Amino acid sequence: MFLKTVRLQLRFLVPLMVTLVVAASLAVPVMDQVTLRWFSRDLNSRGLLVANALSDSVSEAVAAGRTARLRPLFERAEQDERLFAIGLCSVDGQLLERTQGFPRTLTCPGAEDISRKAEPSLPLVSGTVHVGVHDVMGQALVAGTDAPLDAQADAPPVRMARLVLLHDMSFIERRSQDTRRYLIGLIAGLGLVIALITVVVAQLSWRGWVKGVRAILRGEGLLSPLIPAPELAPFAAELRARLRDMEDEFRRSQGPETGWSAERLRTLLQTQLSGAQVIVVSNREPYIHERTADGVVVKRPASGLVTAVEPVMRACSGTWVAHGSGSADRDVVDAADRVLVPPGEQDYWLRRVWLTPEEEQGYYYGFANEGMWPLCHVAHVRPVFRESDWEAYRAVNQRFADAVVAEARGEDPVVLVQDYHFALLPAMVREKLPQATILTFWHIPWPNPESFGICPWRREILQGMLGSTILGFHTRFHCKNFIETVDRYLEARIEHEHSTIAFQEKETLVESYPISIEWPAEAEISAWAPVAECRRRVVERLGLPQDACIAVGVDRFDYTKGILERLNAVERLLEKWPAWVGRFVLVQVAAPTRSALDEYRSFQERVQRIAERINLRFGRPGYKPVHLLAQHHEHDAVTELFRAADVCVVTSLHDGMNLVCKEFVAARDDLQGVLVLSRFAGAARELPEALVVNPYHVEETADALNRAATMPAAEQRERMASLRSTVREFNVFRWAGRMLADAGRWRLRSRIEARVRRHQNG
Ligand code: F6P
């Protein structure tokens, strides 16, 4: 770097030096000539003075013809250090008298010739002398007397003789040399000062720029340059715009990404986020410790969120903050309410937050599940908004935000906020950790502005969410709804081109990140029982006919899942194609959920009643068309069911993504089985090889069930192979990876912007 700076400075210094040398070489001779002329003029005037002083004595002596008596006078005059010699010439050019130093070779006419030159000098062995010839005027006398020759007293004086004065010029030489030395010294000194200033300023500016660029490249900006560079100000806005464009270009150039794995996600975290601490916050915890008669057991909840985020956490380590809802949760945590999970593997910390029954009622059952859930799903269940629930929701959001802040080891962790339980938390964390990168993922749909307008605290919710750095939804459609909602209810600046919202000086990127599952590892696949074996076990366990066509549905027992519509379609299928009676079976796993809520209880009862009605109507000894398994099933049991099935039915009335369909696809390495999928689930956009249906349309769904049940094996293989390649590629590591990569770019950009701002502010 030093060499580069020197080279840069030389570009300026060399021309400067050349100019100074040329200026000096021109100035010195001119200066010499000028000083010589000054001194010559000076010597002439001095000569004239001397001549005037001597003129009376000289004219008398000449008139009297006694010039010899002038010699002592001349010698006295010569004591002046500059007067070298004196000669006295007669009017007709004869040398009458001369002092000792007067050169013998110099005649009176010769002296006159020299004195008329521009530079009247004569080189002698002892040095150069200046030659000046001055007239001596006076009255001529009568020989041998003091009487004037001219009788008239006021007759004008006549030239009596000429004085030749030789002045020593060595002092002029000395002075010229001194002047030359001073001049060269002055020019050299000036050059040195200019060069020094240039070098110092260039060094500092260069260092500032280099430091700036380095920090930009590192994505930092922690060190201010030595000297603020106000010259950057005009470029700041342009730089920002260019960065954005580059980011967009980069995104487009990436195209479809392949090969996302836990390893790649870890590498991304290390490289693009400099190994930042990852903190996940969600309501539902990934592992629940329950007290049972056999001791403490660990359960995995039925939650799409947990299915997706848990593998990401295993890959990234860090801390997961969640509600400790298990009966034995408190028994296994340390003094800081933390426990290492997964049990036996201990990849990351689970930090549990405790809620009182009142808090859980108001925040979770009340505001989150009676308010936000139906509000966002628009599934024909009215949202209920109570002031007390809102208060609890706000207080619990603050509790979780405080827990996140307490878990943060530095000032800029990456915080992954999950779902509608924590709409206020991003702004609360942002307040305490302004440097944090907050990624909020909304796992459920986002309604249009009119529907969202029902919420009395719509502005507070939007403001809370806009505390996020990045706000993720499953689909572009939900992003669009969110942006339009903000546009309707807040004073914010929206940039549609970049999908960003600037609110209160803070920018949020709103982007779609379709969530997915972890593709099963080889070890897991090899542990699976063969498909035929799975089928045999399920048939045996549920007492199904040997030739049964098995359709499965696996859901939480939730009104948004379209379980009623599914039952209606099965009923219609049996009506329309009676040949299926005795053979077509729907095995519906419905994991109990939110049963404390009336809406859920009455829904679950209604489903049970309809299932019973269908069984009554079409069942017979040894055959029950609907098997409603209203209990939680562990992952292995669900996989066995998927592998045993001919058809998987997902008929959500509205679903952010739905991961059940992706798990079914992942389980079918035999490339058989048909997926019937609701067009209102986000997954329908990614999986068009499924039989996509409108679950509200009973006839259409029944037809799809029939088509699935009769689909030739070759067509099943073709569809399933394509579905599997999509799910395998678009897995959960890609979901998290894309978000974290965007976060990395965003962090880099905000550091550059902070740096540019520092430059602007000087
Ligand atoms: O669909 C959004 C979601 O958060 C899922 O990820 C999860 O399955 C469910 O809602 C939450 O269920 P619960 O209320 O039982 O945690």
Side-chain angles (χ1 to χ4, degrees):
M1 187 191 103
F2 178 73
L3 273 181
K4 265 190 205 157
T5 328
V6 168
R7 232 177 284 147
L8 203 74
Q9 288 161 1
L10 281 182
R11 277 191 216 158
F12 177 78
L13 290 181
V14 169
L16 174 74
M17 290 307 163
V18 171
T19 311
L20 289 178
V21 168
V22 171
S25 53
L26 289 177
V28 167
V30 171
M31 197 70 190
D32 272 357
Q33 272 190 353
V34 170
T35 48
L36 193 64
R37 248 179 242 147
W38 286 345
F39 285 121
S40 288
R41 226 178 290 149
D42 186 33
L43 288 178
N44 281 336
S45 331
R46 284 172 64 94
L48 203 62
L49 275 175
V50 173
N52 285 343
L54 297 177
S55 66
D56 285 351
S57 310
V58 171
S59 64
E60 271 175 37
V62 170
R66 291 195 289 267
T67 53
R69 68 178 186 197
L70 289 171
R71 230 171 275 155
L73 181 69
F74 286 176
E75 273 158 17
R76 262 204 315 281
E78 233 184 39
Q79 276 165 10
D80 179 326
E81 59 160 345
R82 292 191 197 156
L83 195 55
F84 181 74
I86 304 175
L88 179 66
C89 297
S90 64
V91 181
D92 54 357
Q94 296 303 311
L95 186 63
L96 300 175
E97 288 298 333
R98 51 185 278 279
T99 57
Q100 213 180 347
F102 198 89
R104 295 189 178 284
T105 50
L106 184 62
T107 61
C108 289
E112 273 189 43
D113 286 348
I114 295 171
S115 72
R116 275 195 289 271
K117 289 184 184 167
E119 282 176 30
S121 58
L122 173 69
L124 299 178
V125 185
S126 54
T128 308
V129 291
H130 174 270
V131 181
V133 178
H134 306 278
D135 289 339
V136 178
M137 308 300 281
Q139 295 290 329
L141 298 178
V142 177
T145 73
D146 286 340
L149 194 60
D150 198 327
Q152 276 185 303
D154 56 351
V158 294
R159 190 168 65 195
M160 302 289 293
R162 278 188 164 159
L163 269 176
V164 178
L165 300 179
L166 303 185
H167 275 94
D168 181 9
M169 284 184 81
S170 63
F171 86 97
I172 299 181
E173 266 306 299
R174 275 199 310 279
R175 286 202 178 164
S176 276
Q177 263 173 18
D178 283 353
T179 315
R180 211 176 301 146
R181 219 174 294 134
Y182 289 141
L183 188 71
I184 292 176
L186 183 76
I187 292 177
L190 241 142
L192 207 72
V193 171
I194 295 175
L196 215 73
I197 292 174
T198 310
V199 168
V200 171
V201 171
Q203 270 288 347
L204 295 183
S205 306
W206 174 258
R207 263 191 225 168
W209 275 89
V210 169
K211 270 191 179 181
V213 171
R214 278 208 182 137
I216 283 170
L217 292 178
R218 279 200 307 268
E220 290 172 2
L222 302 172
L223 297 171
S224 313
L226 240 62
I227 292 179
E231 68 272 18
L232 277 182
F235 304 119
E238 206 165 311
L239 179 62
R240 264 191 234 124
R242 185 73 196 118
L243 275 167
R244 253 170 221 254
D245 291 347
M246 280 166 68
E247 203 174 295
D248 288 351
E249 270 168 37
F250 175 76
R251 231 180 243 245
R252 278 193 292 273
S253 72
Q254 290 299 291
E257 295 144 290
T258 52
W260 276 99
S261 61
E263 191 47 48
R264 184 168 165 195
L265 190 67
R266 262 192 294 272
T267 310
L268 182 139
L269 199 65
Q270 289 306 324
T271 53
Q272 301 203 23
L273 289 154
S274 326
Q277 183 195 11
V278 174
I279 304 175
V280 166
V281 55
S282 74
N283 172 69
R284 187 60 64 203
E285 57 183 342
Y287 294 93
I288 305 175
H289 290 84
E290 291 286 4
R291 216 171 288 128
T292 68
D294 303 329
V296 173
V297 295
V298 183
K299 284 191 177 166
R300 301 291 308 278
S303 160
L305 180 157
V306 170
T307 306
V309 180
E310 217 270 336
V312 173
M313 263 319 254
R314 269 190 277 120
C316 302
S317 298
T319 306
W320 187 326
V321 180
H323 170 211
S325 59
S327 54
D329 274 358
R330 284 177 195 263
D331 304 348
V332 295
V333 294
D334 63 13
D337 297 327
R338 289 149 53 109
V339 57
L340 273 168
V341 287
E345 289 169 54
Q346 312 201 323
D347 287 330
Y348 62 91
W349 286 100
L350 171 57
R351 157 77 195 274
R352 286 175 168 147
V353 175
W354 315 113
L355 299 179
T356 63
E358 295 73 32
E359 280 173 331
E360 193 177 359
Q361 179 58 47
Y363 138 80
Y364 173 74
Y365 288 112
F367 196 79
N369 287 316
E370 286 192 290
M372 296 299 284
W373 180 268
L375 177 77
C376 290
H377 279 90
V378 198
H380 313 290
V381 169
R382 283 192 182 142
V384 178
F385 291 109
R386 300 180 197 92
E387 186 78 34
S388 56
D389 291 347
W390 168 246
E391 291 305 330
Y393 185 81
R394 237 185 9 201
V396 172
N397 267 246
Q398 191 60 64
R399 290 268 303 283
F400 275 79
D402 293 345
V404 169
V405 173
E407 290 298 326
R409 286 196 304 267
E411 56 177 14
D412 62 348
V414 174
V415 184
L416 306 175
V417 184
Q418 307 300 315
D419 234 348
Y420 60 99
H421 309 91
F422 295 118
L424 304 179
L425 183 139
M428 291 169 170
V429 172
R430 168 79 54 224
E431 201 188 323
K432 300 271 175 57
L433 296 173
Q435 306 296 323
T437 303
I438 305 175
L439 312 183
T440 301
F441 192 78
W442 200 257
H443 289 256
I444 61 177
W446 189 270
N448 62 38
E450 289 73 29
S451 305
F452 187 76
I454 295 171
C455 178
W457 298 283
R458 52 190 174 267
R459 287 174 56 83
E460 287 86 339
I461 286 185
L462 295 173
Q463 285 175 17
M465 291 172 78
L466 289 176
S468 315
T469 315
I470 297 179
L471 191 48
F473 294 92
H474 291 294
T475 66
R476 266 321 301 164
F477 180 64
H478 296 148
C479 293
K480 188 176 140 288
N481 276 352
F482 180 80
I483 291 173
E484 283 172 4
T485 308
V486 170
D487 201 14
R488 179 78 59 91
Y489 300 112
L490 290 184
E491 284 296 317
R493 203 182 68 245
I494 294 171
E495 271 196 54
H496 290 280
E497 197 190 343
H498 299 292
S499 199
T500 55
I501 299 175
F503 179 68
Q504 291 179 345
E505 305 295 309
K506 168 81 195 51
E507 222 177 28
T508 301
L509 172 71
V510 181
E511 191 52 275
S512 63
Y513 305 97
I515 207 167
S516 194
I517 57 161
E518 178 181 16
W519 190 255
E522 283 307 319
E524 186 186 346
I525 294 173
S526 57
W528 288 343
V531 165
E533 173 60 15
C534 290
R535 183 183 166 84
R536 193 194 60 73
R537 287 186 202 164
V538 169
V539 165
E540 194 176 297
R541 192 167 58 245
L542 298 178
L544 308 181
Q546 288 300 322
D547 62 345
C549 171
I550 307 173
V552 298
V554 179
D555 301 274
R556 281 184 309 106
F557 217 154
D558 193 296
Y559 55 81
T560 61
K561 299 298 176 184
I563 300 173
L564 270 179
E565 288 69 12
R566 200 173 304 171
L567 293 181
N568 290 338
V570 169
E571 188 171 28
R572 181 70 189 121
L573 171 88
L574 298 176
E575 269 172 16
K576 204 169 173 181
W577 291 280
W580 283 119
V581 179
R583 274 192 66 211
F584 189 94
V585 175
L586 171 69
V587 179
Q588 176 65 53
V589 171
T593 182
R594 306 168 193 170
S595 310
L597 296 179
D598 284 349
E599 195 66 51
Y600 279 78
R601 270 203 310 275
S602 64
F603 170 72
Q604 290 163 10
E605 282 162 15
R606 215 164 137 215
V607 168
Q608 262 149 0
R609 270 202 313 277
I610 292 181
E612 276 163 25
R613 194 193 72 208
I614 296 171
N615 284 342
L616 263 178
R617 187 172 165 200
F618 295 102
R620 57 185 67 168
Y623 170 66
K624 214 166 64 158
V626 178
H627 288 254
L628 186 60
L629 311 178
Q631 64 208 32
H632 177 70
H633 281 52
E634 286 298 329
H635 181 67
D636 290 350
V638 172
T639 304
E640 185 183 75
L641 211 48
F642 284 148
R643 286 172 71 73
D646 297 292
V647 181
C648 175
V649 200
V650 174
T651 48
S652 312
L653 303 181
H654 205 178
D655 219 334
M657 172 54 66
N658 189 283
L659 295 183
V660 169
C661 54
K662 295 189 176 182
E663 286 181 321
F664 171 67
V665 166
R668 297 314 296 259
D669 57 346
D670 62 334
L671 305 185
Q672 292 298 295
V674 181
L675 176 63
V676 174
L677 178 59
S678 164
R679 55 186 278 211
F680 304 121
R685 289 157 206 261
E686 283 184 280
L687 306 176
E689 298 84 356
L691 298 183
V692 177
V693 297
N694 171 2
Y696 291 98
H697 196 325
V698 180
E699 203 69 20
E700 183 185 306
T701 311
D703 288 354
L705 288 179
N706 180 53
R707 188 168 165 210
T710 55
M711 188 178 284
E715 185 181 344
Q716 290 187 37
R717 189 170 304 112
E718 202 143 324
R719 286 174 183 268
M720 186 53 82
S722 180
L723 289 169
R724 283 173 65 79
S725 94
T726 304
V727 177
R728 183 185 196 131
E729 186 180 331
F730 295 90
N731 59 36
V732 74
F733 296 115
R734 180 181 181 271
W735 169 73
R738 280 188 57 231
M739 261 196 293
L740 291 176
D742 281 351
R745 276 192 288 277
W746 197 265
R747 261 158 102 104
L748 174 67
R749 224 182 69 189
S750 37
R751 279 177 181 166
I752 294 171
E753 286 184 359
R755 191 181 171 72
V756 168
R757 268 199 301 279
R758 274 206 297 278
H759 279 303
Q760 280 175 323
N761 300 335

